């Protein structure tokens, strides 16, 4: 009989698709090893994505941010599905009560980014760059701990890519994740356009804005896509990417990236694209601050409370990176030492052997 794994995760316009995307990578690694995997969802928002990847799912028709409400039906569902499975929970809304009620029915593994609470689980995963620094060993003396970037679950498309640092910067990537609640991408594009209109001498960058292709990635919950496409029609230096299926190819072809502080930072690291990071959600703060301290990735700060400061930092960072190939090479090499791309396989091995 094949090992059974359930993955409890959600994705929508408010929380983005990061939880679903990283769990998809883990699910694929488990399936490669012959395991049966099924996603458990509060609603149907992630269904299209899961179906595209051939993943089984069960919708609970509850609330993603009130997980305790779903316990009665979830317990019955697990009881009716045979041998004791493993359930991987990836949600910031999980509670101790929730885990306690699942523990008799399943091996409970928790994806945890912050160690703000201690749960009665069997294992904890924190693949973040700061994962080993939070003190899990003291709080979870008996649990299996899977910590640090060795367990970063990157998609196969990011593994084994050869990246060339070119003499001249020709392409810059701008990505804000699954959503863009602060409308950062649109505001960034408007600033580029204003510089082109009002600053013909171009003191903004060491080369004309128009001499660079600016690749703007629109996640599935970006509400500014249509307006961004209107700018793209008028300005040939803008390239708006929607419904991206080849992110690794786009990254490989870019010389600099500006990225929100989610899992995209790790994807940029494994390829080696010199990056300026920022954040606009509190759960991204710790990740971005750790990258800023422990790596050469530049931390532009919190966009939600200081747009002008963040944009000013980005502009200075862009100038430095455009001017110096040597700096871009050093940053690229340092980034590639952080993640090797084999984290999903390691995670799958560890979960199977619990």
């Amino acid at each position: 009989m094949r090992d059974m794994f359930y993955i409890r995760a959600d994705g929508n316009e408010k929380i983005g698709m990061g939880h679903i995307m990283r769990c998809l990578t883990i699910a694929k690694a488990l399936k490669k090893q012959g395991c049966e995997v099924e996603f458990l969802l509060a609603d149907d928002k992630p269904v299209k994505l899961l179906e595209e990847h051939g993943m089984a799912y069960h919708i609970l028709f509850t609330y993603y941010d009130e997980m305790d409400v779903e316990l009665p039906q979830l317990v019955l569902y697990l009881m009716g599905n045979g041998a004791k499975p493993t359930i991987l929970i990836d949600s910031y809304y999980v509670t101790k009560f929730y885990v306690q009620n699942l523990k008799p029915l399943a091996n409970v593994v928790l994806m945890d980014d912050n160690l703000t609470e201690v749960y009665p689980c069997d294992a904890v995963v924190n693949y973040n760059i700061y994962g080993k620094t939070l003190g899990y060993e003291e709080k979870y003396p008996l649990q299996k701990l899977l910590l640090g970037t060795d367990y970063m679950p990157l998609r196969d498309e990011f593994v084994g890519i050869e990246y060339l640092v070119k003499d001249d910067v020709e392409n810059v990537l701008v990505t804000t994740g699954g959503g863009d609640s602060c409308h950062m991408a649109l505001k960034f594009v408007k600033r580029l356009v204003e510089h082109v209109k009002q600053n013909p001498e171009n003191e903004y960058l060491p080369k004309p804005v128009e001499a660079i292709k600016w690749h703007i990635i629109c996640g599935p919950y970006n509400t500014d896509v249509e307006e961004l496409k209107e700018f793209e029609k008028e300005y040939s230096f803008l390239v708006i990417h929607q419904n991206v299926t080849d992110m690794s190819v786009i990254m490989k072809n870019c010389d600099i990236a500006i990225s929100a502080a989610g899992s995209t930072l790790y994807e940029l690291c494994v390829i080696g694209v010199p990056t300026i990071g920022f954040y606009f959600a509190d759960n991204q703060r710790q990740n971005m601050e750790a990258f800023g301290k422990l790596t050469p990735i530049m931390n532009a700060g919190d966009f939600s409370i200081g747009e002008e400061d963040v944009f000013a930092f980005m502009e200075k960072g862009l100038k430095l990176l455009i001017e110096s190939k040597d700096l871009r090479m050093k940053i690229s090499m340092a980034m590639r030492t952080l993640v090797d791309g084999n984290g999903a396989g390691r995670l799958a091995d560890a979960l199977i052997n619990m």
Side-chain angles (χ1 to χ4, degrees):
M1 184 175 179
R2 295 196 297 171
D3 291 334
M4 182 68 204
F5 286 85
Y6 293 101
I7 296 177
R8 180 65 190 89
D10 292 303
N12 56 47
E13 63 278 3
K14 291 185 179 178
I15 61 173
M17 293 301 288
H19 296 284
I20 293 290
M21 292 304 297
R22 66 184 182 182
C23 286
L24 258 175
T25 305
I26 299 167
K28 288 181 179 180
L30 288 167
K31 289 183 76 171
K32 276 184 182 178
Q33 300 204 34
C35 300
E36 190 173 347
V37 183
E38 181 175 284
F39 278 76
L40 302 171
L41 312 169
D43 54 47
D44 64 356
K45 297 289 180 66
V47 162
K48 182 180 178 183
L49 179 61
L50 293 178
E51 289 180 342
E52 287 172 356
H53 290 270
M55 288 293 164
Y57 59 86
H58 176 73
I59 303 172
L60 298 166
F61 295 104
T62 54
Y63 309 98
Y64 76 92
D65 54 353
E66 294 182 25
M67 293 181 69
D68 287 355
V69 175
E70 73 195 32
L71 274 170
Q73 61 174 302
L74 180 54
V75 166
L76 286 173
Y77 188 72
L78 294 176
M79 288 176 66
N81 280 273
K84 189 175 185 179
T86 296
I87 181 167
L88 174 65
I89 303 171
D90 186 2
S91 172
Y92 293 130
Y93 299 98
V94 68
T95 66
K96 277 186 175 181
F97 182 74
Y98 188 92
V99 175
Q100 283 170 343
N101 278 272
L102 294 185
K103 190 77 164 59
L105 301 169
N107 300 312
V108 181
V109 181
L110 195 67
M111 296 284 281
D112 177 62
D113 294 339
N114 299 308
L115 192 55
T116 54
E117 183 65 89
V118 178
Y119 299 88
C121 56
D122 297 286
V124 179
V125 181
N126 186 337
Y127 60 73
N128 287 292
I129 189 171
Y130 56 83
K132 294 182 179 180
T133 69
L134 299 182
Y136 282 95
E137 293 83 359
E138 181 182 348
K139 299 292 181 67
Y140 289 99
L142 302 178
Q143 284 80 2
K144 192 180 191 81
L145 300 177
L146 307 172
L147 308 174
T149 56
D150 282 349
Y151 296 100
M152 172 65 207
L154 284 172
R155 288 172 280 165
D156 289 345
E157 68 171 289
F158 292 97
V159 181
I161 293 176
E162 292 187 11
Y163 181 72
L164 175 67
V165 177
K166 293 180 289 198
D167 293 335
D168 194 27
V169 170
E170 298 172 342
N171 295 276
V172 174
L173 175 71
V174 180
T175 176
T176 61
D180 189 354
S181 58
C182 292
H183 308 281
M184 182 274 177
L186 180 60
K187 292 171 182 176
F188 184 87
V189 165
K190 287 181 176 179
R191 288 176 75 93
L192 289 179
V193 169
E194 282 303 306
H195 279 293
V196 170
K197 287 180 176 179
Q198 298 182 11
N199 191 11
E201 298 302 318
N202 198 64
E203 296 175 359
Y204 173 56
L205 295 174
K207 62 186 299 184
V209 167
E210 306 95 309
I212 297 172
K213 287 288 185 184
W214 300 85
H215 297 263
I216 315 299
I217 306 295
C218 293
Y221 299 117
N222 190 312
T223 58
D224 301 318
V225 175
E226 295 308 316
E227 192 169 353
L228 285 165
K229 285 184 175 179
E230 289 302 313
F231 279 109
E232 181 185 34
K233 291 176 184 176
E234 189 172 351
Y235 298 96
S236 60
F237 56 85
L238 294 173
V239 184
I240 309 301
H241 299 269
Q242 188 182 14
N243 301 319
V244 173
T245 58
D246 57 349
M247 189 66 166
S248 60
V249 175
I250 297 172
M251 287 182 176
K252 179 184 176 180
N253 291 328
C254 285
D255 306 296
I256 299 170
I258 295 172
S259 174
S263 57
T264 306
L265 283 184
Y266 296 95
E267 295 167 353
L268 291 163
C269 279
V270 79
I271 295 175
V273 188
T275 298
I276 301 168
F278 69 97
Y279 57 96
F280 48 72
D282 197 52
N283 64 323
Q284 296 176 339
R285 178 191 301 274
Q286 193 170 23
N287 203 37
M288 190 65 253
E289 289 179 347
F291 266 98
K293 290 175 183 175
L294 302 175
T295 79
I297 289 177
M298 304 177 190
N299 177 9
D302 188 344
F303 190 81
S304 68
I305 63 173
E307 291 181 11
E308 286 303 315
D309 289 341
V310 170
F311 278 135
F313 185 100
M314 287 177 179
E315 290 168 10
K316 290 177 182 177
L318 283 168
K319 284 181 181 179
L320 287 172
L321 291 170
I322 290 170
E323 286 173 341
S324 176
K325 178 186 177 183
D326 185 56
L327 178 61
R328 283 183 276 119
M329 286 185 68
K330 288 178 180 177
I331 292 175
S332 177
M333 291 174 65
M335 288 172 67
R336 276 180 275 181
T337 65
L338 292 172
V339 189
D340 66 6
N342 299 314
R346 290 192 191 96
L347 264 179
D349 288 339
L351 296 178
I352 292 167
N353 294 311
M354 279 182 58

